[in-house]
Amino acid sequence: MAKIAPSLLSADFTRLGEEVKEIESVGTEILHIDIMDGHFVPNLTFGYSMVKALRPVSDMIYDVHLMMTNPLSYIENFAKAGSDIITVHTECDDDINKCLDLIHKCGVKAGLSVKPKTSPDALFPYLDKLEHILVMTVEPGFGGQSMMTECLDKIAVIKAECASRGLNIPVMIDGGVNADNVQTAARAGADMMVAGNAVFGAKDRAAAFKTLSEGANL
């Protein structure tokens, strides 16, 4: 069953604790938390202290996406802060194997992401170490962008490679998910879909989340 993961990037930053509680109340199981360093992407967001502060607020899975040039130095702190999944990018400057090994050493599930212009083949050397794959369907850095639907083609390529190795790794997409394209993403094989403005920006968040969740599973 495909899951919708609301993105905290689209929440009201002045009341994050309340926002997390509200979004959990509508049935959310996974909260996507974008961490941006101002270098890997041209934006700054949260730090591990924020994740730590929000951890007692909810029992949701905290899916922490490190959009960072050098994530290796921060993985342990984000793990201690309460992350359930930590995802790094194939395009980062640190050694990917060291990043994934450290995530596992910290007792957290490891994810790896590719940006829109990166071939899915970049993931293949690391598949045996992954519990999570993230395909960006926008250029990372800012919410509110339109989905680059051509990126959905990567999902089938990734799943075929996983199947050839006897692996079953869930694939999440991130970027531009809304009620108009959620079925397209689901048909492309997405197991999880990050939705920011489509949920947090809705007047009726419960209805928006329900519409997306139903669309993802038609």
Side-chain angles (χ1 to χ4, degrees):
M1 186 172 182
K3 303 287 187 183
I4 301 297
S7 171
L8 198 64
L9 185 63
S10 296
D12 181 349
F13 288 8
T14 67
R15 46 190 296 273
L16 284 180
E18 297 169 50
E19 293 280 82
V20 170
K21 289 179 181 178
E22 180 181 338
I23 214 67
E24 183 175 29
S25 74
V26 307
T28 300
E29 297 177 23
I30 306 167
L31 181 67
H32 189 76
I33 304 175
D34 289 309
I35 308 297
M36 306 181 191
D37 64 359
H39 186 267
F40 185 77
V41 293
N43 196 5
L44 284 165
T45 53
F46 316 112
Y48 49 81
S49 58
M50 188 279 296
V51 177
K52 182 179 180 180
L54 291 177
R55 183 69 276 181
V57 171
S58 169
D59 292 326
M60 288 186 290
I61 295 169
Y62 281 12
D63 168 33
V64 175
H65 177 196
L66 300 186
M67 288 179 263
M68 307 176 77
T69 301
N70 299 109
L72 189 61
S73 300
Y74 298 91
I75 286 169
E76 189 171 359
N77 283 327
F78 276 105
K80 288 180 179 178
S83 306
D84 296 295
I85 303 167
I86 294 178
T87 297
V88 298
H89 269 265
T90 58
E91 305 90 355
C92 77
D93 286 352
D94 287 336
D95 185 291
I96 300 298
N97 280 308
K98 288 182 178 179
C99 288
L100 300 177
D101 289 344
L102 180 56
I103 293 170
H104 286 143
K105 183 179 178 181
C106 292
V108 176
K109 291 182 178 180
L112 193 58
S113 180
V114 286
K115 293 163 68 174
K117 294 179 182 178
T118 301
S119 169
D121 295 3
L123 298 161
F124 294 172
Y126 312 103
L127 290 179
D128 290 336
K129 293 186 176 183
L130 301 181
E131 288 83 35
H132 184 78
I133 291 171
L134 177 61
V135 172
M136 295 301 301
T137 48
V138 297
E139 287 294 340
F142 296 92
Q145 300 183 63
S146 297
M147 180 186 290
M148 301 166 68
T149 54
E150 64 272 18
C151 296
L152 297 175
D153 295 339
K154 296 179 183 179
I155 300 173
V157 177
I158 293 165
K159 290 201 166 188
E161 182 67 21
C162 288
S164 73
R165 303 188 193 189
L167 301 172
N168 184 19
I169 306 171
V171 179
M172 172 182 273
I173 64 163
D174 182 2
V177 173
N178 57 41
D180 294 328
N181 57 34
V182 66
Q183 290 183 40
T184 300
R187 287 194 292 268
D191 301 296
M192 293 177 278
M193 306 171 206
V194 176
N197 289 344
V199 178
F200 277 106
K203 290 183 178 179
D204 187 337
R205 293 172 173 177
F209 182 81
K210 182 180 179 182
T211 296
L212 289 169
S213 296
E214 290 177 348
N217 289 284
L218 286 177

